[in-house]
Amino acid sequence: MAACSVGLLTRLSLRVQRSQVQRPLRRLLSCPGTVAADLRREEQSSGSAETGSEDRTPKKRFSEVQNERREQAQRTVLIHCPDKINEKKFLKFLSQHGPINSHFFYESFGLYAAVEFCQKESVTSLQNITRTPSLGPEAAIPFKSRYLNLKLRNSLNQTSELSSIQCSNQSSPSSKKLYQLLCCAESVDDQLNTLLREFQLTEENTRLRYLTCSLIEDVAAAYFPDCAVRPFGSSVNSFGKLGCDLDMFLDLDEIGKFTAQKTSGNFLMEFQVKNVPSERVATQKILSVIGECLDQFGPGCVGVQRILNARCPLVRFSHQASGFQCDLTTNNRIALKSSELLYMYGALDSRVRALVFSVRCWARAHSLTSSIPGAWITNFSLTMMVIFFLQRRSPPILPTLDYLKTLADAEDKCIIEGHNCTFVGDLNRIKPSRNTETLELLLKEFFEYFGNFAFNKNSINIRQGREQNKPESSPLHIQNPFETSLNVSKNVSQSQLQKFVDLARESAWILHQEGKDRPSPSSNQPWGLAALLLPSVANNMSLSKKKKKPASERIKNLLDSIKSSGAENSTATNGRRAISTQA
Ligand code: GTP
Ligand code: MG
């Protein structure tokens, strides 16, 4: 049994390139709860992004994907390994506890293995032979988690058998590599698809995100045994870049649900609970204890901050083993619904993700977005702008949210805190768009559209898919799709909006000029998307305009660009600035 599993394992390893591994995976997986179908679907949906060649295979609902991935994560352990290890023997050792479905190695301050068993019982069996370390004078706080440490017994005897392990990549390409890839592309469309391919979350990175949530869930379950910790935001909405943060939602709604459904007759049983003055106070109290728990007992959780007075209270921490910056919230179900909506839009047409990734990278390269909160536009707002723009095409590439609501059935009905968040969950009920515009055209038109948008009077509204009068005076108004009285970009200042508009106009102009006179690939000149991602190009182009601006604004822009070039650590290469696109 063990030997057979290892044979299978060696062939199933996820550590090699996805394209190489997916075919064998499909053929060989036999365990219950396999991910072969998921992989096949992802291969089809994320690989090619050609206009007009839409994937017609049935697509899974967001909730189905979430449930399957969560269940997969629960069968997975994370193991910190010595730098060199005999992979075959390692897998043979683990498979004593049951067959293994898949595994991969990665590096993050050391070598780690994520090993997915076929059955949950195998995890328990492995935990039962795992010991709590004795640390000499220090004391260990015992905690039976799924984050383990592998040590070699008699390592000297094993030296000859140890070898370096091939690791799966968890980071986006360097600026230099991206620049080369973009310059070698055949067309602007090819460039946008290349950027998507290089920056999108890999299968392994996605697994690691669900696994990290699952490990945090184990800690939270010490207080709330039936809780769930679910990823949301760009980790799951299909717009996540390698390196993006991991947004987590502590879901306590399942607690008590099962019992309540079973109750019958004239009696109704309720739990005795403590009351607090409001939902917000309850959220703060829950996050406060979970934050304390992660800080004191959470294996691998470091730098825990409890940010409880924010509009949306959260616990922020780094998960050392996965390398993710995590934001844990609770009572934030609408954000989970927004993630589902974005996932739907991302899955409806292959051009959506390619365009969103390029716009996000463009904004980052020009310091329009930042990982620090402030008066700048967020990735979430930029995504809403792309969706809105695609709703405005003729024929539209994406349907409005109101239309998606008309396709909903009883199962889709969803009211959260009095807000109607209903829309169709079955992607297969939405007809593909007849629009066949190229990505190059769409990117150019996106910049032109928002370079000339009447931000002073109009609001962006994906529910209705048309501009509306702004209900308030914020420089940028993007209606929150579910809490319709809120503006998701309320934080954006006039000067940041102006910077966005200036850069959008310049970028439209660059693409327009390029269309007429494109440098030959052999000239090694940045072109198309590569030219747009170079801060210096846009800065030079706008020099004449900048002269007309007040001195204070010019100095501020200059300072911003110096600051951003320092932060981005961009270096001069062959007299050109390197492309900076980090999340
Ligand atoms: P990254 O920049 O890649 O992290 O993108 P993200 O989409 O994950 O954004 P972020 O981490 O800032 O927020 C996580 C999720 O919270 C988003 O995807 C939205 O679902 C939600 N969210 C963020 N900002 C807002 C906002 O201003 N209003 C509302 N309603 N939801 C928001
Ligand atoms: Mg995020």
Side-chain angles (χ1 to χ4, degrees), residues 363-470:
R364 190 70 191 96
H366 296 286
S367 305
L368 285 167
T369 51
S370 166
S371 51
I372 309 159
W376 22 85
I377 203 158
T378 61
N379 279 329
F380 181 60
S381 294
L382 283 172
T383 309
M384 303 284 279
M385 289 169 95
V386 176
I387 291 170
F388 181 73
F389 164 74
L390 295 175
Q391 291 174 335
R392 303 291 300 152
R393 303 307 295 165
S394 178
I397 293 180
L398 289 177
T400 65
L401 178 53
D402 275 346
Y403 176 72
L404 295 180
K405 193 172 153 199
T406 64
L407 298 181
D409 58 22
E411 194 194 340
D412 296 318
K413 190 162 184 219
C414 175
I415 311 284
I416 303 172
E417 293 157 20
H419 302 286
N420 193 337
C421 304
T422 305
F423 59 89
V424 63
D426 182 359
L427 281 152
N428 306 300
R429 291 171 55 190
I430 308 163
K431 279 202 188 118
S433 165
R434 286 179 294 107
N435 181 308
T436 57
E437 288 169 315
T438 64
L439 282 169
E440 177 173 4
L441 180 79
L442 291 171
L443 186 64
K444 192 164 65 184
E445 298 268 317
F446 172 85
F447 289 131
E448 245 173 66
Y449 183 75
F450 283 113
N452 297 296
F453 191 85
F455 288 107
N456 56 340
K457 60 178 177 81
N458 285 338
S459 158
I460 291 163
N461 179 325
I462 68 159
R463 183 163 274 284
Q464 298 183 355
R466 58 184 161 85
E467 298 97 348
Q468 282 198 312
N469 287 340
K470 273 205 301 196

Side-chain angles (χ1 to χ4, degrees), residues 171-183 195 198-199 361 364-365 530 533-535 565 567-573 576-583:
S171 52
S172 48
S174 67
S175 305
K176 197 173 160 199
K177 186 179 169 213
L178 179 67
Y179 175 81
Q180 284 167 349
L181 287 169
L182 294 183
C183 287
L195 186 121
E198 294 294 319
F199 279 90
C361 281
R364 190 70 191 96
L533 296 181
L534 291 170
S565 57
E568 306 274 358
N569 200 19
S570 48
T571 49
T573 46
R576 292 192 205 101
R577 196 94 67 91
I579 303 171
S580 89
T581 46
Q582 299 310 300

